[in-house]
Amino acid sequence: MELSGTILNYIKTKGGPCRVYPDPFAIKLFHDRTNIVEPDISVICDKNKLIDKGCSGAPDWIIEIVSPSNPSHDYITKLSMYHDAGVREYRIVDPQNNKIHVYNMDAGAFTTKTYSFHDTVKVGIYDDLLIDFSILDLNVNL
């Protein structure tokens, strides 16, 4: 919730079109498929993607908190799915290992960086949003 709040406060301060949606929030990534995902945090900047039951199309930014019971789902399955769908930025927050994995997939580029919970990390979809992970309580009990 602290991470969602940090993002929400930034968006409200800037008055931008983006909105933050915490889980549960259904997203149909592909128009021609029936797969529905519910990321832990989604940021959607195109209001035309919003539908009565959630979102149709790729969010701009997705954050997943790794589940210790099935980490490969976030690191492999969802990474591939989000990349194919056109998500611009994907972050995996891993409380077990105190790591944040950032995947920037905007404009056809694919870069990845790893940070610790002691780092301040720039958000790729915004020019001036920095998140100081050292002040957030991310050691959740999953």
Side-chain angles (χ1 to χ4, degrees), residues 13 51 73:
T13 300
I51 57 175
H73 192 61

Side-chain angles (χ1 to χ4, degrees), residues 117-137:
F117 281 14
H118 301 288
D119 292 326
T120 298
V121 183
K122 184 185 179 311
V123 175
I125 69 167
Y126 295 110
D127 291 332
D128 61 349
L129 174 55
L130 300 169
I131 298 176
D132 183 354
F133 281 87
S134 69
I135 63 171
L136 300 178
D137 181 11

Side-chain angles (χ1 to χ4, degrees), residues 77-94:
T77 306
K78 286 185 176 180
L79 173 60
S80 177
M81 195 178 344
Y82 294 157
H83 178 263
D84 292 347
V87 172
R88 293 171 56 197
E89 184 170 343
Y90 175 43
R91 289 184 180 213
I92 300 173
V93 176
D94 188 339

Side-chain angles (χ1 to χ4, degrees), residues 38-107:
E38 289 189 349
D40 294 311
I41 303 171
S42 304
V43 176
I44 300 166
C45 301
D46 181 355
K47 67 180 181 179
N48 293 321
K49 292 182 179 179
L50 298 174
I51 57 175
D52 290 339
K53 297 181 181 179
C55 174
S56 180
D60 294 272
W61 180 17
I62 290 179
I63 301 168
E64 294 282 9
I65 311 298
V66 173
S67 170
S69 63
N70 192 7
S72 66
H73 192 61
D74 293 320
Y75 282 106
I76 299 169
T77 306
K78 286 185 176 180
L79 173 60
S80 177
M81 195 178 344
Y82 294 157
H83 178 263
D84 292 347
V87 172
R88 293 171 56 197
E89 184 170 343
Y90 175 43
R91 289 184 180 213
I92 300 173
V93 176
D94 188 339
Q96 298 285 83
N97 296 305
N98 294 326
K99 299 286 182 195
I100 303 106
H101 303 279
V102 177
Y103 302 89
N104 286 307
M105 304 179 281
D106 200 12

Side-chain angles (χ1 to χ4, degrees), residues 23-41:
D23 179 30
F25 184 74
I27 298 172
K28 183 177 180 186
L29 291 171
F30 303 97
H31 299 292
D32 61 340
R33 299 185 200 168
T34 58
N35 301 53
I36 302 292
V37 294
E38 289 189 349
D40 294 311
I41 303 171

